[in-house]
Amino acid sequence: MENMEFRVYNTMTQQKEIFKPKIPGKVGMYVCGVTAYDLSHLGHARAAVAFDVLYRYLRHLGYDVNYVRNFTDVDDKIIRRANERGEDPLTLSDKYCKEYLKDMGDLQCLLPTEQPLVSKHIKEIKDMITQIIKNDCAYTVDGDVYFAVDKFPNYGRLSGRKLEDNRAGERVAIDTRKRNPADFALWKAAKPDEKNWDSPWGPGRPGWHIECSAMSARYLSSEFDIHGGGMDLIFPHHENEIAQSCAACPKSNVSYWMHNGHVTNNNEKMSKSLGNFFTIRQITELYHPLALRHFLMSTHYRSQVNYSISQLEHASEAVFYIYQTLHDCENALSPFREGSLKGAEPNGRPARITPDAQECIDKLRSEFQTKMSDDLLTPPILSAALSEALRFINSSVKNLKKKQQKQQQLLASQSLAELEEVVKEVLNVLGLLSALAYSEVLQQLKDKALKRAGLTEDDVLDLIEQRTQARKNKDFPKSDKIRSDLTAKGISLMDEGKETIWRPCVPTEHNQS
């Protein structure tokens, strides 16, 4: 594959730029993680999948990536939830960190290189605050420490906001003790019976923004390549990160700021604060996690995604088609693999592949690299390049079953095997290739479809038998009704010779939307 320049959209410059890491061959990437006080929702899945695709593609390009994603386990929301439940805040957050990782595993998000916790980095946070105070960019009030935004002339350059237009951050209440309403807390004085740590300014805990500056500096230094997160973090969180990081270390610099778009529900941003969210668990209870991942990648990571059952249904069908194709391919190639597929022609030369197969392989590789190198443009890969390759595989499987000369069969099987490997490579970079057998994934998809339909497999088999009997009796209205009723519930019946099989499909009402 020819080398192609990888372009990413930089929020700071508001344009696509050629990606050039600070150290050739190595990438430092920090992505803001979750505040662990509840099960994660679809918005969290969006960010995780978007940056997992970036992580996977950077590794595919040969980079050694140091990927850091934090857990916020010290926060007002955690404290409030813990108090409501009578639990220790750190115990509560530890539980939800583990739940988040389970969700990420289900979505096939690779583990980051580092996953630091705020509670384990209090020293680094205090050291950074001390340096900011020493550089005359912060002040203390009754045990609280505030960053003085007036001391940072470039405040607002990431978000494009003017200082006079800024208000206090979302998680910072208006405080008349502050010199400027936009000043934000670096350290919060402890309240009665609240988890706290000793500090030069009295017992307390970190503010929200300082944690990421301290931990990114700890694991990636003050200068690194990529900082990512949701668009809702541009202001105030990332804006404040830049200010405090530069105040602590004037050399502080992030080359590329990358942000994923929101997930909306009825065109309103999905969030816990608005109460209009679905947890990842609620969705994967009925839909395969791979279908959710496919759904999220079907829209470009910087664009807004509007949550839709219809789109989830179509994503589920697309994933089933992928795995059914791979399963059929595996079965078709099985006899040849048993006889050593990587064999040779009679003259000892390696088996070739057909020109059509080579063209399909070259096109898939080219389209994949072209689209991914253009700021991770995943939608056309899923909808066009990959679909075309899968159609070619299905066509090749049918041809392989036809009676052919041994040399032709070897050529056809080798062609199919090489195309399968390229498809799997693409799926792997996209995070859609499961470690499970194709048949297991297909069964999982069928089980989810049955659950959505409110049926068991025995129910479906019984209805298939009723339909078969109706056809024998020439009761075609009944036969057609059974079939259409099942299709409406997302169960498609397919007559193959004398046998009727079933597979998931998009329910009729969703197919029309």
Side-chain angles (χ1 to χ4, degrees):
M1 217 186 286
E2 294 181 4
N3 290 328
M4 183 176 290
E5 292 176 334
F6 179 31
R7 292 179 179 269
V8 298
Y9 185 87
N10 189 347
T11 306
M12 181 66 78
T13 60
Q14 296 186 40
Q15 63 184 11
K16 290 180 187 177
E17 299 177 1
I18 298 171
F19 179 71
K20 293 181 180 179
K22 294 181 182 294
I23 302 172
K26 295 182 179 294
V27 176
M29 179 169 80
Y30 187 95
V31 176
C32 291
V34 296
T35 300
Y37 70 98
D38 203 347
L39 291 174
S40 297
H41 60 65
L42 191 54
H44 298 135
R46 179 85 199 281
V49 169
F51 288 101
D52 181 65
V53 172
L54 174 60
Y55 182 34
R56 286 171 175 271
Y57 191 58
L58 287 168
R59 294 190 354 165
H60 173 73
L61 293 176
Y63 290 108
D64 177 11
V65 186
N66 186 4
Y67 174 19
V68 183
R69 184 184 66 207
N70 73 298
F71 279 114
T72 296
D73 64 342
V74 178
D75 182 83
D76 291 338
K77 292 182 179 180
I78 296 170
I79 293 168
R80 281 197 297 269
R81 181 62 55 85
N83 288 341
E84 289 169 4
R85 299 184 179 182
E87 295 183 45
D88 173 70
L90 292 181
T91 302
L92 176 83
S93 60
D94 179 65
K95 177 174 72 175
Y96 285 114
C97 287
K98 290 174 180 174
E99 297 289 2
Y100 174 81
L101 290 176
K102 183 183 183 306
D103 287 336
M104 294 305 102
D106 288 343
L107 290 172
Q108 297 206 158
C109 291
L110 299 174
L111 284 174
T113 318
E114 303 286 350
Q115 298 188 91
L117 297 163
V118 175
S119 62
K120 302 294 185 183
H121 294 79
I122 301 297
K123 180 184 181 302
E124 288 89 344
I125 291 169
K126 290 190 292 186
D127 288 347
M128 180 169 274
I129 295 172
T130 299
Q131 189 61 44
I132 293 171
I133 294 173
K134 183 179 178 181
N135 292 344
D136 194 32
C137 290
Y139 56 94
T140 60
V141 182
D142 303 328
D144 292 322
V145 182
Y146 289 102
F147 185 89
V149 294
D150 293 321
K151 298 284 187 176
F152 189 65
N154 288 327
Y155 191 80
R157 61 178 177 159
L158 179 68
S159 62
R161 293 171 180 248
K162 295 179 181 179
L163 185 56
E164 58 267 25
D165 295 333
N166 285 332
R167 296 175 295 177
E170 290 177 6
R171 303 191 187 189
V172 184
I174 300 298
D175 189 337
T176 55
R177 301 173 303 157
K178 295 194 288 188
R179 297 175 185 173
N180 184 316
D183 291 350
F184 56 90
L186 299 175
W187 186 262
K188 295 183 176 184
K191 295 175 183 176
D193 301 320
E194 186 176 88
K195 178 72 178 177
N196 63 79
W197 290 264
D198 290 333
S199 80
W201 321 287
R205 57 189 175 83
W208 175 35
H209 313 294
I210 192 67
E211 62 184 64
C212 289
S213 288
M215 290 190 287
S216 62
R218 160 68 177 80
Y219 291 96
L220 299 171
S221 84
S222 58
E223 300 177 80
F224 57 96
D225 301 299
I226 298 169
H227 195 314
M231 284 184 178
D232 55 324
L233 297 181
I234 294 174
F235 183 86
H237 188 51
H238 289 165
E239 197 72 75
N240 291 350
E241 272 194 66
I242 293 170
Q244 63 202 8
S245 294
C246 291
C249 176
K251 292 195 306 179
S252 179
N253 175 261
V254 173
S255 299
Y256 308 92
W257 288 86
M258 297 179 68
H259 296 90
N260 64 275
H262 297 144
V263 176
T264 59
N265 186 6
N266 293 324
N267 296 313
E268 184 177 46
K269 179 179 175 289
M270 189 179 288
S271 71
K272 288 180 180 175
S273 60
L274 294 173
N276 66 344
F277 68 94
F278 293 93
T279 66
I280 297 169
R281 298 282 172 88
Q282 285 174 312
I283 296 169
T284 56
E285 180 71 18
L286 293 174
Y287 293 91
H288 198 288
L290 285 175
L292 176 53
R293 186 179 178 104
H294 190 287
F295 160 71
L296 292 171
M297 290 192 298
S298 296
T299 301
H300 187 244
Y301 81 92
R302 283 193 290 114
S303 300
Q304 178 178 292
V305 173
N306 195 37
Y307 175 76
S308 158
I309 292 294
S310 175
Q311 288 190 65
L312 271 176
E313 289 284 359
H314 282 90
S316 183
E317 184 173 58
V319 172
F320 190 91
Y321 176 68
I322 289 169
Y323 277 84
Q324 186 64 62
T325 299
L326 291 174
H327 184 248
D328 292 344
C329 178
E330 182 178 61
N331 287 341
L333 289 174
S334 179
F336 300 93
R337 283 180 169 143
E338 289 169 4
S340 181
L341 179 62
K342 294 183 178 179
E345 293 181 335
N347 56 16
R349 291 197 301 269
R352 300 164 297 163
I353 65 173
T354 65
D356 285 349
Q358 188 63 59
E359 183 181 352
C360 185
I361 288 170
D362 291 345
K363 185 174 182 181
L364 177 58
R365 280 180 167 156
S366 175
E367 285 293 301
F368 177 70
Q369 188 175 12
T370 299
K371 300 304 182 186
M372 288 295 283
S373 291
D374 184 12
D375 195 32
L376 306 174
L377 202 56
T378 54
I381 297 172
L382 295 174
S383 64
L386 183 60
S387 293
E388 190 173 326
L390 292 170
R391 284 195 296 271
F392 191 94
I393 287 177
N394 279 318
S395 174
S396 299
V397 166
K398 290 178 183 177
N399 288 334
L400 194 58
K401 291 178 181 178
K402 296 177 181 177
K403 290 184 178 181
Q404 301 179 78
Q405 293 180 352
K406 187 173 182 180
Q407 190 171 340
Q408 288 177 315
Q409 280 195 326
L410 183 61
L411 184 63
S413 62
Q414 183 67 35
S415 300
L416 187 57
E418 291 200 18
L419 178 54
E420 179 198 22
E421 285 304 309
V422 178
V423 167
K424 285 166 62 178
E425 180 186 348
V426 168
L427 290 172
N428 188 48
V429 178
L430 295 176
L432 289 172
L433 187 64
S434 174
L436 298 176
Y438 303 145
S439 58
E440 290 181 76
V441 177
L442 288 170
Q443 188 58 53
Q444 289 175 345
L445 286 158
K446 292 178 79 171
D447 290 342
K448 297 288 186 185
L450 289 169
K451 196 166 190 177
R452 295 195 297 275
L455 298 168
T456 66
E457 184 140 23
D458 285 343
D459 292 334
V460 175
L461 295 177
D462 181 59
L463 287 166
I464 288 174
E465 180 56 36
Q466 289 182 38
R467 177 174 173 268
T468 300
Q469 194 59 48
R471 294 174 77 191
K472 285 180 180 177
N473 297 335
K474 300 190 183 302
D475 188 353
F476 298 115
K478 181 179 179 180
S479 167
D480 292 344
K481 187 176 188 308
I482 290 172
R483 186 173 199 164
S484 61
D485 286 351
L486 283 173
T487 303
K489 293 182 178 182
I491 305 294
S492 174
L493 300 186
M494 305 173 72
D495 297 318
E496 296 189 351
K498 295 182 179 180
E499 184 184 11
T500 299
I501 63 170
W502 75 272
R503 54 160 287 175
C505 69
V506 177
T508 310
E509 61 269 26
H510 295 305
N511 218 357
Q512 296 169 349
S513 58

